[in-house]
Amino acid sequence: MNVSGLSTRARVAVLVAAVVVLAAAGTVYVLRARAETPAAAPRLTPGATPAPSATALEPGALMTVGAGPASDSGMVRVAPGRGEGPARTTGLRCKRFYAAAGTGVCLRVGETLTIGSEAIVLDDHLREVRRVALAGIPSRARVSASGRMVAWTFFVSGDSYLSVGFSTRAGILDTRTGTLVKSLEDFTLDKDGRIHSAVDLNYWGVTFASDDNRFYATVSTGGRTYLVQGDFAARKMRVLRENAECPSLSPDGTRLAYKKRVGGASDPWRLYTLDLASGRETRLAEPANVDDQAAWFDDHTVMYSKLRGDSSDVWAVPADGSGRPELLARDAFSPAAT
């Protein structure tokens, strides 16, 4: 549109209209972020380094992000064991967080439409090692068991993933070689023995095997979701099964935990595990809707966040389908067992 010939009043009107459109777009992003993570997380101050005594990635600790009305909402916390003792606040603010073997990843979102989102790679004292400029709203984060591979998922706009114009971008960083893949859509996908290259591909929810090359993730195409297995070095993936989202590989590498769409329209998600050798699925004892990428506390326990009003809590449940849910951390989400 050419505005050079318009009157001053008309040009002002055009500018105001543009500002309104941008504000509306920003509102959509914020609403999606609130739906994805119950606690708003302020921007991480560049260069800020919490005190090492409060932030070391201690083996056997439970790390979460504060949620809800708590004073440390949006801050990464660390608690001993299965949350038996009081959690300490690290001073690090993230929308999503994960850590393993001395490597952490903090996903944050820009404060305005002109400031992009980032994935911050951290060392064993949560000091910044590298940051990767990204776009969208943080959704999932994961680090391989060795600490070498880092993955993330962001909601972005402009594709056809959702009717409101949102889709996902999943990326992987090899911290040892520096190899960066910003979108898994660059990989080849094998579906039903053929290369599948539809324009509506969306990936999310990455989890890594112990060799730091094989990984699992979710792909959406044609209105359906599938579990895929990937080969990072070969830049290839293949579909394993339908209706299995946000996978998480057990520490011993034998089982995947994921959510399945088996409930009603208002509460569709239930947690399952899959034995990779036998292909047998087991429904876990959590009866409620869980829209999260689960994590493993150990080989016998799956943990996850569950919404509660304007907040969320971290729960755990036995991986064999027995028992019942156990509350690990109140007003928290994004759990990681270090």
Side-chain angles (χ1 to χ4, degrees):
M1 177 180 180
N2 183 6
V3 298
S4 60
L6 298 178
S7 66
T8 300
R9 177 175 297 179
R11 289 198 297 270
V12 170
V14 171
L15 176 60
V16 170
V19 170
V20 170
V21 171
L22 289 174
T27 299
V28 172
Y29 270 117
V30 170
L31 289 175
R32 181 66 196 192
R34 285 175 61 88
E36 181 61 30
T37 56
R43 186 175 171 83
L44 174 66
T45 303
T49 303
S53 62
T55 60
L57 297 178
E58 304 166 2
L62 173 64
M63 302 193 75
T64 60
V65 178
S71 59
D72 61 352
S73 182
M75 287 189 182
V76 176
R77 307 167 174 170
V78 57
R82 294 168 65 108
E84 290 93 346
R88 294 175 291 153
T89 299
T90 67
L92 179 69
R93 292 185 178 272
C94 306
K95 271 290 191 180
R96 288 280 168 171
F97 175 84
Y98 199 81
T103 298
V105 60
C106 171
L107 306 186
R108 71 182 193 184
V109 64
E111 293 176 323
T112 70
L113 293 176
T114 59
I115 300 177
S117 299
E118 294 173 315
I120 313 296
V121 181
L122 307 160
D123 69 6
D124 60 352
H125 282 80
L126 301 185
R127 295 172 298 210
E128 180 179 328
V129 174
R130 176 172 177 175
R131 66 177 66 189
V132 179
L134 299 164
I137 302 297
S139 172
R140 308 288 185 231
R142 198 66 26 139
V143 178
S144 67
S146 71
R148 173 178 173 176
M149 309 298 287
V150 176
W152 53 79
T153 304
F154 280 73
F155 282 108
V156 297
S157 63
D159 293 337
S160 57
Y161 174 48
L162 297 176
S163 61
V164 296
F166 285 92
S167 62
T168 56
R169 286 284 183 280
I172 297 176
L173 171 67
D174 183 336
T175 63
R176 183 179 301 172
T177 66
T179 302
L180 171 64
V181 174
K182 282 197 171 184
S183 176
L184 290 182
E185 294 171 30
D186 296 335
F187 283 25
T188 299
L189 175 64
D190 182 322
K191 182 176 180 291
D192 301 324
R194 302 177 182 177
I195 301 301
H196 188 76
S197 55
V199 296
D200 67 344
L201 291 175
N202 284 277
Y203 293 94
W204 65 90
V206 176
T207 186
F208 297 99
S210 60
D211 62 4
D212 287 329
N213 182 62
R214 179 166 48 95
F215 65 92
Y216 299 87
T218 302
V219 66
S220 170
T221 182
R224 297 183 176 182
T225 57
Y226 303 90
L227 173 69
V228 299
Q229 178 180 304
D231 184 320
F232 186 74
R235 300 294 193 271
K236 294 180 179 180
M237 292 179 288
R238 62 185 178 91
V239 170
L240 297 182
R241 63 195 299 132
E242 189 176 349
N243 191 17
E245 300 187 33
C246 294
S248 181
L249 189 63
S250 61
D252 62 12
T254 64
R255 290 152 295 159
L256 286 170
Y258 48 70
K259 61 179 185 175
K260 291 187 65 175
R261 188 183 289 272
V262 296
S266 61
D267 62 341
W269 308 114
R270 298 296 183 273
L271 289 176
Y272 284 74
T273 58
L274 171 71
D275 184 278
L276 291 171
S278 67
R280 186 182 73 252
E281 278 189 321
T282 300
R283 182 164 174 167
L284 302 188
E286 172 56 77
N289 182 66
V290 176
D291 186 6
D292 190 27
Q293 182 176 18
W296 293 75
F297 184 85
D298 54 34
D299 280 323
H300 310 289
T301 310
V302 174
M303 55 185 179
Y304 51 92
S305 63
K306 188 168 62 173
L307 291 174
R308 175 179 50 81
D310 292 332
S311 186
S312 69
D313 306 311
V314 172
W315 292 78
V317 70
D320 61 2
S322 66
R324 60 183 181 179
E326 170 193 359
L327 179 64
L328 294 186
R330 189 172 178 83
D331 290 322
F333 67 104
S334 201
T338 57

